[in-house]
């Protein structure tokens, strides 16, 4: 069965000659010994796909009566621990936990919320919502509602519903009509009709939006980005700009997120771990190419100069190669 979490442009492939019980035993030895054998842990967990890692988790539980993630948590520390635990977490569950972390504690990490909700497909969102409810006994929508407000909240809830059209077919008439609606909702009136922006940008497919933005340019002589920046503000503006970027090129949008996470003083490991793990079987090859194209140096070299130790080794293995 083709998983909705696997694409064709990932850096991770199924490991040939895979045996979950052999791997589980090797991991157990690596954890149980005097001092942890991190090298073994890294080589197994970064050379198996998530589907294979889930089978290792099951074999581990069956053989030792323990949750692999708990043993990893007990044995490892820091960002390396977070990353290894992420690798053994099923994708929908991982995203659910990332969303919860984005809304927990002091302040909300709006950029993480925006990134996750704009880059997941409708089918992925449905699974994430189920996982969220399973773990937290609260609906994702309820938590988003209590942590956000206004048009930003409305748009996030629309995205969390997973109702974006996924078809690859584009409708030229609809694009012309939507472009005119967007123009009338913003540039062409006093004040802005935010709901129209939310409706079109959160529900139309990305290929459809791309065509709509071309039509928009014809009508208004302006890029949709410029209109959004001029008409809207705050997190709602950030969210709509993220959708536009995803429609134009999702790998470029994620490359930009990684660049922000890695540049300047300090590293945003929360974002770095999330993108590296969640895109490693979907489009990390394309993200790497966009990174190199936009910034003139490779994602690999950026990770290398910004991280260290086992954390660095693991990220570089997920990254794959230097470009």
């Amino acid at each position: 069965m083709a998983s909705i979490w696997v694409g064709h442009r990932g850096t991770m492939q199924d490991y040939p000659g895979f045996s979950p019980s052999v791997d589980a035993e090797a991991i157990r030895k690596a954890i149980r010994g005097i001092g942890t054998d991190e090298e073994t842990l890294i080589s197994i967990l970064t050379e198996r796909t998530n589907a294979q890692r889930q089978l290792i988790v099951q074999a581990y539980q069956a053989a030792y009566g323990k949750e692999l993630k708990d043993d990893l948590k007990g044995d490892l520390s820091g960002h390396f621990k977070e990353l290894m635990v992420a690798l053994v977490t099923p994708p929908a569950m991982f995203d659910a936990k990332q969303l919860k972390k984005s809304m927990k504690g002091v302040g909300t990490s709006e950029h993480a919320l925006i990134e996750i909700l704009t880059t997941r497909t409708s089918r992925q969102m449905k699974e994430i919502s189920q996982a969220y409810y399973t773990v937290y006994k609260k609906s994702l929508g309820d938590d988003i509602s209590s942590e956000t407000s206004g048009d930003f909240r409305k748009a996030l809830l629309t995205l969390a519903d997973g109702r974006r059209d996924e078809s690859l077919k584009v409708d030229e008439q609809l694009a012309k009509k939507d472009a005119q609606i967007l123009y009338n909702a913003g540039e062409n009136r006093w004040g802005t009709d935010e709901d129209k922006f939310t409706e079109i940008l959160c529900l139309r497919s990305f290929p459809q939006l791309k065509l709509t933005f071309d039509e928009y340019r014809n009508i208004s002589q302006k890029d949709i980005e410029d209109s959004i920046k001029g008409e809207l503000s705050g997190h709602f503006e950030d969210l709509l700009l993220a959708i536009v970027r995803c429609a134009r090129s999702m790998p470029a949008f994620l490359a930009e997120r990684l660049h922000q996470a890695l540049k300047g003083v300090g590293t945003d490991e929360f974002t770095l771990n999330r993108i590296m793990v969640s895109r490693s079987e979907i489009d990390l090859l394309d993200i790497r190419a966009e990174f190199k194209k936009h910034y003139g140096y490779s994602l690999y070299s950026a990770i290398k100069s910004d991280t260290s130790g086992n954390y660095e080794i693991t990220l570089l293995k997920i990254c794959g190669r230097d470009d």
Side-chain angles (χ1 to χ4, degrees):
M1 183 189 103
S3 163
I4 62 167
W5 297 95
V6 177
H8 301 293
R9 303 287 299 154
T11 52
M12 291 190 166
Q13 309 297 329
D14 272 327
Y15 187 75
F18 169 65
S19 161
S21 56
V22 169
D23 283 350
E25 192 181 342
I27 288 173
R28 180 71 171 165
K29 277 200 185 111
I31 291 175
R32 285 297 297 276
I34 298 167
T36 307
D37 173 6
E38 286 95 351
E39 206 177 311
T40 297
L41 290 180
I42 294 169
S43 81
I44 294 175
L45 295 180
T46 60
E47 290 172 26
R48 311 291 185 271
T49 55
N50 194 284
Q52 291 180 325
R53 284 180 235 126
Q54 296 317 310
L55 295 173
I56 297 172
V57 168
Q58 287 168 22
Y60 194 90
Q61 174 85 44
Y64 311 111
K66 294 180 113 129
E67 287 263 359
L68 176 53
K69 72 168 165 29
D70 294 339
D71 279 357
L72 291 172
K73 279 179 188 168
D75 224 47
L76 310 174
S77 64
H79 302 302
F80 176 52
K81 172 185 79 178
E82 300 280 330
L83 184 56
M84 297 302 265
V85 170
L87 287 171
V88 299
T89 308
M93 185 73 72
F94 177 66
D95 280 345
K97 291 186 167 173
Q98 293 280 302
L99 286 166
K100 184 67 170 177
K101 274 186 192 155
S102 306
M103 294 186 279
K104 218 168 68 181
V106 184
T108 299
S109 170
E110 287 86 4
H111 288 294
L113 276 183
I114 290 171
E115 177 211 300
I116 298 168
L117 292 172
T118 53
T119 56
R120 302 313 187 248
T121 65
S122 295
R123 286 164 67 195
Q124 287 171 341
M125 272 322 304
K126 296 255 190 315
E127 280 196 16
I128 293 164
S129 293
Q130 282 173 340
Y132 196 94
Y133 190 78
T134 304
V135 183
Y136 303 112
K137 299 292 172 269
K138 270 182 89 173
S139 81
L140 174 58
D142 286 349
D143 277 350
I144 289 173
S145 285
S146 61
E147 292 297 326
T148 58
S149 62
D151 293 305
F152 181 52
R153 172 201 285 168
K154 235 186 236 178
L156 287 174
L157 290 172
T158 307
L159 293 173
D161 246 3
R163 289 186 298 145
R164 186 184 296 286
D165 175 27
E166 303 273 79
S167 95
L168 297 172
K169 284 209 294 281
V170 293
D171 176 338
E172 217 162 310
Q173 284 321 109
L174 180 64
K176 283 189 164 75
K177 194 179 114 195
D178 280 347
Q180 190 64 55
I181 290 171
L182 289 172
Y183 182 61
N184 294 342
E187 292 291 344
N188 205 24
R189 57 170 283 171
W190 184 255
T192 310
D193 181 352
E194 289 87 357
D195 285 352
K196 293 284 190 287
F197 277 87
T198 296
E199 208 173 295
I200 292 170
L201 269 67
C202 295
L203 295 176
R204 302 285 184 258
S205 74
F206 285 144
Q208 182 67 30
L209 284 176
K210 225 172 160 174
L211 189 59
T212 306
F213 301 152
D214 291 342
E215 293 294 344
Y216 184 87
R217 195 176 167 77
N218 293 338
I219 295 170
S220 71
Q221 306 306 306
K222 257 179 136 167
D223 278 330
I224 187 78
E225 288 92 333
D226 295 329
S227 292
I228 290 170
K229 285 174 190 164
E231 298 285 323
L232 306 165
S233 63
H235 297 306
F236 183 53
E237 175 194 351
D238 296 336
L239 174 61
L240 294 189
L241 288 174
I243 294 172
V244 174
R245 288 202 185 98
C246 287
R248 294 201 192 278
S249 165
M250 195 179 292
F253 170 67
L254 290 167
E256 185 189 345
R257 291 279 299 147
L258 283 170
H259 183 248
Q260 284 163 347
L262 287 160
K263 72 166 202 230
V265 182
T267 307
D268 172 5
E269 290 88 0
F270 182 49
T271 298
L272 180 57
N273 289 0
R274 179 176 57 256
I275 297 177
M276 295 301 289
V277 171
S278 68
R279 308 313 288 192
S280 61
E281 292 180 48
I282 299 176
D283 54 1
L284 191 50
L285 288 173
D286 296 332
I287 293 169
R288 261 172 36 188
E290 289 291 339
F291 194 98
K292 179 82 189 243
K293 185 171 105 186
H294 286 277
Y295 307 111
Y297 52 93
S298 67
L299 174 58
Y300 193 94
S301 67
I303 291 169
K304 214 173 160 67
S305 68
D306 228 49
T307 58
S308 62
N310 288 312
Y311 181 53
E312 174 195 352
I313 293 166
T314 310
L315 284 169
L316 293 177
K317 289 208 60 172
I318 296 170
C319 185
R321 296 186 315 135
D322 200 351
D323 296 305

